[in-house]
Amino acid sequence: MFKSVVPMLSLLMVAGLAGCATTRKPVVQCSFPSQKAPAPGSALVAQDYGAITAIPLDAVQYTDALKRKVVVQMLSAGRTPTNTVQVTARLVNCTNDSLTVGVRTNFMDAREVPTEAQSVWQNVILQPKAMGLYQTSSMSKGVEHYVLELRDAGGH
């Protein structure tokens, strides 16, 4: 009896796994909101340059060239053991082409005054329909806010 149950269980397991494989969602899903004004609080989606609204703090700004190409999937900041601030952003390439995205950070104090010079542009290479990570830390300890800037760095 045990010998006849094992093949049946194996067949059910394989059939069950095959069903799981067909219902999986893609890892990269790009959704572009039709939002006109910046959302209050920390931003996970970017705002366009050139808008006549205040630039939100603790957020990402990027150029029109990236508007329908890149999504900010995750944005976070935290204190390091030395009391500086480390910012991390996970970017998603929503296109079928490789992209090179330039990223830099502006760190500010509680009065929104820069605490140091903006960071240098760092290139993040994003493969088609894939994610990339940007991470940087402030040099000073008095940081309370930040703004990340993204630009299309293809050919730069």
Side-chain angles (χ1 to χ4, degrees), residues 37-53:
S42 297
L44 290 178
V45 294
Q47 308 299 319
D48 294 334
Y49 278 111
I52 307 179
T53 58

Side-chain angles (χ1 to χ4, degrees), residues 127-144:
Q127 296 303 318
K129 302 289 185 188
M131 296 180 286
L133 192 68
Y134 168 80
Q135 191 170 60
T136 192
S137 295
S138 67
M139 300 298 290
S140 54
K141 297 177 182 181
V143 173
E144 294 294 327

Side-chain angles (χ1 to χ4, degrees), residues 46-69:
Q47 308 299 319
D48 294 334
Y49 278 111
I52 307 179
T53 58
I55 295 172
L57 298 177
D58 307 327
V60 177
Q61 298 289 312
Y62 54 76
T63 60
D64 276 346
L66 296 176
K67 186 175 184 176
R68 297 276 182 203
K69 296 179 180 180

Side-chain angles (χ1 to χ4, degrees), residues 52-137:
I52 307 179
T53 58
I55 295 172
L57 298 177
D58 307 327
V60 177
Q61 298 289 312
Y62 54 76
T63 60
D64 276 346
L66 296 176
K67 186 175 184 176
R68 297 276 182 203
K69 296 179 180 180
V70 175
V71 169
V72 181
Q73 188 180 49
M74 183 273 300
L75 178 62
S76 69
R79 294 277 172 196
T80 67
T82 59
N83 207 29
T84 60
V85 172
Q86 184 176 61
V87 175
T88 304
R90 187 169 50 240
L91 310 174
V92 177
N93 178 355
C94 296
T95 72
N96 293 321
D97 301 312
S98 293
L99 292 175
T100 302
V101 178
V103 188
R104 71 177 175 187
T105 307
N106 299 273
F107 291 105
M108 292 159 272
D109 64 15
R111 297 175 298 143
E112 302 178 22
V113 175
T115 57
E116 56 197 68
Q118 61 199 13
S119 68
V120 297
W121 288 104
Q122 293 181 33
N123 286 341
V124 177
I125 298 171
L126 301 171
Q127 296 303 318
K129 302 289 185 188
M131 296 180 286
L133 192 68
Y134 168 80
Q135 191 170 60
T136 192
S137 295

